[in-house]
Amino acid sequence: MRPDVRAAVAHLDAPFSILDLDAAIENAQSMTRRAQGTPIRLASKSIRIRELIGRILDLPGYQGILAFNLDEAMWLVESGTCDDVLVAYPSANRESLHRLLCDPHLRDRITLMVDSVEHLNFIDAVLPPQERAAVRLCIDLDAALEIGPLHIGALRSPIRSADHVRSFVRSILARQGFDIVGVMAYEGQIAGTTDTSPAIAAMKALSVKELAMRREVLVNIVHEELRATGRPALEFVNGGGTGSIETTRAESVITEIGAGSGIIGPGLFDHYKTFKPTPAEWFVVPVVRRPAPNTVTVAGGGRVASGPAGKDRLPVVDWPRDLKMATLEGPGEVQTPLTGAAARNLQLGSHVWMRHAKAGEQCEWTDNVLVVSGGEIIDTWPTYRGEGKSFV
């Protein structure tokens, strides 16, 4: 972290959250350089600060939002944040779907994710096709690597084979009330897996090669079926993530990359070898007790990331650098003991800077972030939570 960021808030009582705006913008620009001209659809799940989302979308190379919730998508459109939102996950909320289907302004700007006829049936049950205009759809393809019975990657879509894709596309085209405008395939086993061993590196290399060939075949099938019925061509083919920008943009069928975590630089990215974002967001907690000469206890700290339980899901102590969590206690909701030589120099009220393991999730804990730029606090921005919104 930059010393001037620490200095800008040294006089404040913790706890509080900090955004280094300069680092966030630099990271965002670094991602577009890695993308080499392929537009990036900003993953809002990794940001959850509407003002920052708007700043990033104003940068060259960013185009549209990849939202994680339909209600979030409608809010982002209605607030004027963005007029092109892809909802990355299917919705089973009838009230939200009904509001979308009945509102031409929202319906024209939001694309729903589907991967089964069940999704189509669910939408039709909310509002029959004869009572609405067509809804924009994106087909979610399974991008995981399969080796025999082993499935390596996210358990998302069941659509994997050429026959399955062709059958599903024809099912959509045979029905009234749906327009296929996009295809998505998220390679989590590449983009979201840290470079921790030669075995992981080998898995990623194998998956990159396999997916590039399979994704091309599957996307071309969708194009063929649309042409055969005289439908408009796909508007976009989305893939990737912050951790796979280089390999994803190398595929000829890809038209955009979904990414956002790299703007924040969370703890998990400390373990990637191909890129190194600058940390841009922290939560700062105060020292409140000293149980031993080389140990201090801070208030809070137990902000554990989603995903498989493990050490890589725990928050990272960024400053003072040599403080470590107690092995038998770890980070707690109300207190976290930290040990190390640096503890001797800390006093009651001293700041300890911690970083969440995953971008975006930190914002579920706080109403606002202090924004630092040029070594000064320039503003306070509300998080989604601070605006009274929670979409998890």
Side-chain angles (χ1 to χ4, degrees):
M1 117 197 17
R2 309 172 206 251
D4 63 346
V5 176
R6 282 206 314 275
V9 297
H11 62 290
L12 299 178
D13 284 338
F16 50 81
S17 292
I18 289 288
L19 173 70
D20 180 349
L21 181 59
D22 299 333
I25 297 299
E26 288 174 11
N27 288 337
Q29 293 169 334
S30 174
M31 287 167 60
T32 59
R33 288 193 294 270
R34 292 170 59 204
Q36 293 188 5
T38 301
I40 295 177
R41 184 179 289 272
L42 181 62
S44 59
K45 181 176 78 73
S46 301
I47 309 296
R48 305 190 210 192
I49 303 168
R50 196 159 57 89
E51 179 65 29
L52 180 58
I53 289 173
R55 297 284 184 108
I56 300 302
L57 289 178
D58 285 341
L59 296 175
Y62 286 86
Q63 180 178 296
I65 287 176
L66 183 64
F68 63 96
N69 180 282
L70 176 54
D71 285 328
E72 177 209 13
M74 293 191 288
W75 177 58
L76 291 172
V77 171
E78 290 173 330
S79 65
T81 306
C82 185
D83 61 1
D84 175 12
V85 185
L86 169 61
V87 186
Y89 304 88
S91 175
N93 187 300
R94 295 175 178 84
E95 182 179 349
S96 299
L97 283 168
H98 190 271
R99 188 156 77 89
L100 172 75
L101 298 175
C102 292
D103 189 324
H105 180 77
L106 294 174
R107 196 176 55 237
D108 291 345
R109 290 160 176 79
I110 294 174
T111 302
L112 295 178
M113 191 69 63
V114 295
D115 61 34
S116 69
V117 172
E118 288 178 286
H119 288 141
L120 309 181
N121 293 340
F122 194 94
I123 294 169
D124 280 348
V126 171
L127 193 67
Q130 60 270 21
E131 298 180 20
R132 68 170 200 265
V135 61
R136 295 167 55 86
L137 297 183
C138 176
I139 298 174
D140 196 359
L141 305 178
D142 176 35
L145 174 66
E146 289 192 347
I147 304 174
L150 188 62
H151 182 101
I152 305 173
L155 291 168
R156 293 169 61 103
S157 170
I159 301 178
R160 181 176 182 84
S161 70
D163 288 344
H164 198 167
V165 171
R166 184 174 286 107
S167 174
F168 185 49
V169 171
R170 290 178 178 178
S171 295
I172 298 174
L173 297 178
R175 302 172 71 137
Q176 180 185 350
F178 299 107
D179 288 335
I180 302 172
V181 300
V183 169
M184 175 180 176
Y186 170 60
E187 54 266 41
Q189 72 281 4
I190 304 169
T193 304
T194 56
D195 301 316
T196 53
S197 70
I200 294 294
M203 179 278 291
K204 284 188 173 185
L206 177 62
S207 188
V208 165
K209 184 176 180 180
E210 185 277 335
L211 179 59
M213 293 187 292
R214 183 162 55 88
R215 184 151 46 191
E216 181 176 13
V217 170
L218 300 185
V219 169
N220 284 337
I221 287 173
V222 180
H223 281 299
E224 291 168 6
E225 294 297 326
L226 291 174
R227 283 196 299 268
T229 56
R231 305 297 181 94
L234 290 172
E235 295 177 15
F236 63 86
V237 177
N238 183 286
T242 295
S244 66
I245 289 177
E246 289 85 356
T247 55
T248 304
R249 54 96 173 154
E251 297 182 34
S252 60
V253 297
I254 292 293
T255 67
E256 63 178 40
I257 297 168
S261 295
I263 293 166
I264 300 300
L268 279 174
F269 285 171
D270 294 351
H271 306 289
Y272 282 73
K273 294 181 179 179
T274 56
F275 65 100
K276 292 289 183 184
T278 302
E281 190 177 55
W282 301 264
F283 60 97
V284 181
V285 289
V287 172
V288 293
R289 66 192 340 173
R290 182 184 301 279
N294 277 11
T295 302
V296 293
T297 302
V298 297
R303 305 182 186 183
V304 180
S306 61
K311 290 184 178 180
D312 63 351
R313 303 293 148 162
L314 301 182
V316 175
V317 180
D318 270 0
W319 189 88
R321 288 192 178 89
D322 67 344
L323 288 180
K324 297 181 180 179
M325 295 179 190
T327 305
L328 297 181
E329 193 164 344
E333 180 185 13
V334 294
Q335 73 164 35
T336 301
L338 300 169
T339 64
R344 291 182 175 271
N345 298 320
L346 298 178
Q347 309 296 322
L348 294 185
S350 291
H351 292 174
V352 172
W353 292 60
M354 305 178 85
R355 214 169 3 121
H356 203 282
K358 295 185 72 174
E361 294 183 11
Q362 149 68 10
C363 290
E364 295 300 324
W365 291 82
T366 185
D367 288 343
N368 54 68
V369 295
L370 298 175
V371 184
V372 175
S373 178
E376 297 182 356
I377 299 174
I378 62 167
D379 209 343
T380 300
W381 289 347
T383 61
Y384 279 15
R385 171 177 157 165
E387 294 200 67
K389 303 295 181 180
S390 180
F391 303 109
V392 294

